[in-house]
Amino acid sequence: MALSLAWGIDDSVVINENTYELNLEFSRVLRWYEMWKDRELSKEGKVLYSIILILSHDWAEELPETIEELAEIIPQDDLIPLSNAIIKRITGDQFESTTVKRDLKGNILEDEEKKWYEFEQDSGYIYSSFLMDYGMDLMVERSKGTLHWDKFNHLLAGLSENTKFKNVIKIRMMEYPEKATPDEIEEIRKAKLAVALKEDRANLEFEMMDLKQKREYMLKKKEERGEVKDE
């Protein structure tokens, strides 16, 4: 169960009859998302750091640096299932249908084919929007260490339409009107480019090129991939 006004928030998971309490303070979860996006980190490393980040445990001595060291604290058979339970608890896979669900990048899964925001890139928009709507300074909340992920999650989803964050999302989702003039389309593209996520920026820049620029761009990409042979 996630956030419940009747029962509060349950942060416990049971693995092989062992109960584990999770620490789902919002900035920890955001760091957890960043950890999962690290392509240089092995699967084993992600299991290790996922548990270290999220498990509510008194790491009194030095943090374990390997799975073997972690297994001296937590039963070996519990490690993978515990890591999977953390993923499900955070991304929403075991939430009820009315709960906001997210992928491993933290995007709300309203459209599985397209992601409209990213926590790291949109931190400033999220920060200013929370301050505007709720009078909540997320940097202060981070230092307190008391804002739960579920609360943050629902507050983010509930931001009003006049916040910067929601306006940015609206621009990113904007479609080109069927009867738009070339000038109107150009203005929309410029607006989209101004707030584009890194992964979308190249496509928008390509759309704004003329035919000659597009040909030069495609040729350059082929050269980078080694598809153009010297005569």
Side-chain angles (χ1 to χ4, degrees):
M1 180 184 293
L3 185 151
S4 167
L5 295 179
W7 303 104
I9 299 175
D10 183 7
D11 286 336
S12 62
V13 294
V14 178
I15 308 295
N16 297 326
E17 299 184 355
N18 296 315
T19 300
Y20 297 95
E21 294 295 328
L22 308 182
N23 182 348
L24 295 175
E25 187 270 331
F26 90 102
S27 68
R28 272 181 183 268
V29 177
L30 293 179
R31 292 195 295 275
W32 179 87
Y33 275 118
E34 290 305 303
M35 180 273 297
W36 269 100
K37 290 189 296 183
D38 187 347
R39 295 181 179 180
E40 295 183 1
L41 196 59
S42 66
K43 182 178 179 180
E44 187 176 271
K46 289 180 178 180
V47 170
L48 172 67
Y49 292 115
S50 180
I51 293 173
I52 289 174
L53 262 175
I54 302 301
L55 185 64
S56 183
H57 179 81
D58 182 14
W59 306 101
E61 300 178 1
E62 292 186 7
L63 292 175
E65 296 183 357
T66 64
I67 285 291
E68 289 73 24
E69 290 180 11
L70 185 61
E72 295 177 6
I73 302 170
I74 298 170
Q76 179 78 41
D77 291 343
D78 287 5
L79 295 181
I80 299 297
L82 178 55
S83 177
N84 290 337
I86 288 171
I87 292 172
K88 289 181 180 181
R89 178 62 176 85
I90 291 175
T91 62
D93 290 347
Q94 67 181 33
F95 287 8
E96 296 178 10
S97 60
T98 55
T99 304
V100 177
K101 295 185 178 182
R102 301 182 185 279
D103 63 14
L104 283 177
K105 286 188 177 181
N107 298 292
I108 292 178
L109 290 175
E110 293 176 346
D111 181 348
E112 295 184 9
E113 298 301 320
K114 179 67 177 176
K115 307 302 183 290
W116 299 111
Y117 72 92
E118 200 276 332
F119 283 125
E120 182 181 16
Q121 295 180 52
D122 291 328
S123 289
Y125 299 141
I126 294 171
Y127 174 84
S128 63
S129 298
F130 268 65
L131 197 59
M132 174 181 170
D133 254 14
Y134 308 125
M136 181 182 293
D137 187 322
L138 288 177
M139 297 307 291
V140 172
E141 295 300 325
R142 181 183 182 279
S143 65
K144 290 179 183 176
T146 56
L147 179 59
H148 194 280
W149 170 247
D150 290 348
K151 295 179 182 178
F152 171 82
N153 190 16
H154 286 284
L155 288 170
L156 182 68
L159 285 169
S160 63
E161 293 300 318
N162 60 337
T163 57
K164 181 66 175 179
F165 178 71
K166 282 298 184 73
N167 282 326
V168 165
I169 301 302
K170 189 182 299 183
I171 293 171
R172 290 174 182 163
M173 296 179 69
M174 188 183 300
E175 296 183 358
Y176 300 108
E178 187 176 342
K179 296 183 180 180
T181 66
D183 287 343
E184 289 171 337
I185 291 175
E186 184 72 8
E187 287 303 310
I188 293 173
R189 283 175 177 165
K190 287 180 179 179
K192 285 178 169 289
L193 185 60
V195 297
L197 294 171
K198 291 177 182 178
E199 51 266 39
D200 298 328
R201 184 170 295 276
N203 288 336
L204 284 167
E205 290 175 342
F206 183 77
E207 286 181 6
M208 297 177 73
M209 296 177 186
D210 59 30
L211 186 57
K212 180 181 178 182
Q213 290 172 325
K214 287 180 178 178
R215 286 174 176 169
E216 291 174 347
Y217 176 85
M218 295 303 294
L219 180 61
K220 182 180 178 181
K221 288 297 180 183
K222 287 183 177 181
E223 289 174 347
E224 290 176 353
R225 294 194 296 266
E227 296 176 6
V228 177
K229 297 180 179 180
D230 295 330
E231 296 182 356

